[in-house]
Amino acid sequence: MQIASMVVLGFVLDLLLGDPPNWPHPVKLMGRAISRFTKRFNRETDSAQTRRFWGGVLWFLIVGGTGIIALSIMWGVAQLNRWLTLALGTYLSYTCLSIRGLVIESQKIIHSLQGHHLEKARRQVGMIVGRDTDQLSEEEVCQATIETVAENTSDGVIAPMVCLIIGGPVLGLMYKAVNTLDSMVGYQNEKFADFGRFSACADDVINYLPARLTWVLLMVGSMLLHYDFRTAFIVGRRDRKKHRSPNSGFSESVVAGALDLRLGGPHYYFGELVTKPYIGLASAKSARTADIKLTLRLLYVAAWLCLSLCVILRYFLWKGLA
């Protein structure tokens, strides 16, 4: 049950500390390695096939390298001391989760909008979304924040927690490598369409089951919070596949239904208009800061539900093997 202890303690640590910018973080190292490799091998002069090849090489280097390094470190520490292993595993598990960090960034946006600082809110939301934000209205800033909270409930909370409970910090960090690659090079634009294709496809495959688990957890969460569960189920079932990503629509559709919002639609990415289908009822209300707060509550409930489920399953697995 040591892995379960690492996950629980890492979860609590994330709720207490968030993601202090000056603390050492494995994802920062991953990002630097990805950036250097991309500058060296994502060349405009290369053919599409060559760029796809190097994009695949990058994925295996980062994900495989992360797994090998994490496994080596955990194994080495395990030879020294059991409690040191627990401490290191807890810290690495904590770095795989991003509940508190997502809440803090969302609250910054809420405070800026409530203070009528739209320009500041645009810059802040630009830190957590991939779309262009310099021309967003207040409603669109709220919508973008809600969408990224909904999507990151799966990518930043449920999926890494499931990986952690299955394979400990090693598998958790490998998942973070997959997710970081997708966020950095998985864009469907001219610069990364070929180089980032493997990373984007791999992320879709690996997040297939976690996205659907998130759908269930958010649905249960909307019922526990006395949100509009009936509409959440209707919209969640109808619109879960109405997204360019095969996974993102699952969480966004539940949130849209539960809060009576209309999410999705066309957005600009790097100056290019990307058309996306709308998610939610056509008669839905406009997004406001209060809806961001409601989405954050749903995030917390889904996270606690997932933690409870993971620990229970791990316990029975351990009992079965004992």
Side-chain angles (χ1 to χ4, degrees):
M1 290 294 288
Q2 190 177 42
I3 287 180
S5 299
M6 293 175 183
V7 177
V8 172
L9 292 173
F11 182 92
V12 174
L13 206 58
D14 178 67
L15 292 182
L16 294 174
L17 301 177
D19 185 17
N22 297 323
W23 282 29
H25 201 296
V27 172
K28 295 178 182 178
L29 298 177
M30 297 175 195
R32 291 171 189 166
I34 294 168
S35 295
R36 291 180 181 179
F37 191 98
T38 301
K39 290 179 181 178
R40 175 67 178 83
F41 292 101
N42 187 25
R43 297 177 293 232
E44 295 181 2
T45 55
D46 288 340
S47 66
Q49 184 176 2
T50 299
R51 295 166 83 173
R52 289 173 193 168
F53 170 78
W54 286 116
V57 170
L58 169 66
W59 192 91
F60 282 102
L61 283 176
I62 298 298
V63 177
T66 297
I68 292 172
I69 293 171
L71 181 61
S72 300
I73 293 174
M74 289 299 299
W75 181 86
V77 173
Q79 308 310 306
L80 300 176
N81 184 278
R82 175 187 176 186
W83 295 107
L84 187 59
T85 304
L86 177 61
L88 178 62
T90 295
Y91 183 77
L92 293 178
S93 298
Y94 149 70
T95 64
C96 293
L97 301 172
S98 57
I99 307 167
R100 182 61 180 163
L102 188 59
V103 170
I104 290 173
E105 294 304 316
S106 299
Q107 289 175 336
K108 290 179 182 178
I109 296 167
I110 292 173
H111 293 155
S112 294
L113 291 175
Q114 289 178 337
H116 305 289
H117 303 299
L118 181 56
E119 286 293 337
K120 185 177 181 181
R122 287 169 175 168
R123 292 193 298 271
Q124 289 168 332
V125 77
M127 300 295 293
I128 58 174
V129 301
R131 73 190 65 169
D132 298 344
T133 61
D134 55 337
Q135 299 296 323
L136 296 183
S137 65
E138 180 176 336
E139 177 188 348
E140 290 170 333
V141 169
C142 292
Q143 178 184 329
T145 307
I146 292 167
E147 287 176 2
T148 197
V149 170
E151 184 175 349
N152 279 283
T153 299
S154 178
D155 295 352
V157 181
I158 306 303
M161 201 183 305
V162 170
C163 290
L164 285 168
I165 209 69
I166 293 173
V170 175
L171 190 60
L173 288 171
M174 290 179 72
Y175 173 80
K176 292 302 292 184
V178 171
N179 192 244
T180 304
L181 281 160
D182 180 63
S183 65
M184 292 184 68
V185 302
Y187 295 101
Q188 295 181 3
N189 57 19
E190 184 177 352
K191 183 178 181 181
F192 293 114
D194 295 307
F195 186 77
R197 175 173 294 187
F198 192 96
S199 293
C201 291
D203 184 83
D204 289 341
V205 172
I206 291 170
N207 278 293
Y208 185 87
L209 291 179
R212 284 140 185 86
L213 173 61
T214 303
W215 188 90
V216 175
L217 294 174
L218 288 174
M219 199 70 69
V220 175
S222 68
M223 181 172 57
L224 294 176
L225 288 170
H226 302 290
Y227 291 175
D228 191 343
F229 172 75
R230 180 175 177 275
T231 305
F233 182 77
I234 292 173
V235 175
R237 184 176 60 178
R238 187 195 70 180
D239 293 352
R240 66 189 188 276
K241 296 182 180 180
K242 288 174 62 177
H243 199 286
R244 292 184 61 139
S245 163
N247 301 317
S248 297
F250 278 77
S251 54
E252 290 187 21
S253 62
V254 178
V255 172
L259 302 183
D260 188 27
L261 299 173
R262 197 181 191 198
L263 305 178
H267 303 300
Y268 281 92
Y269 293 83
F270 302 102
E272 298 180 10
L273 180 64
V274 176
T275 302
K276 297 181 179 181
Y278 284 102
I279 295 175
L281 301 178
S283 59
K285 61 182 176 64
S286 300
R288 292 291 180 259
T289 54
D291 297 307
I292 301 177
K293 296 177 183 179
L294 294 176
T295 307
L296 293 176
R297 291 179 189 173
L298 198 52
L299 162 66
Y300 274 126
V301 172
W304 278 107
L305 286 171
C306 184
L307 179 68
S308 303
L309 179 63
C310 286
V311 171
I312 290 171
L313 292 177
R314 185 80 194 188
Y315 172 77
F316 282 107
L317 176 62
W318 176 74
K319 291 287 287 185
L321 296 175

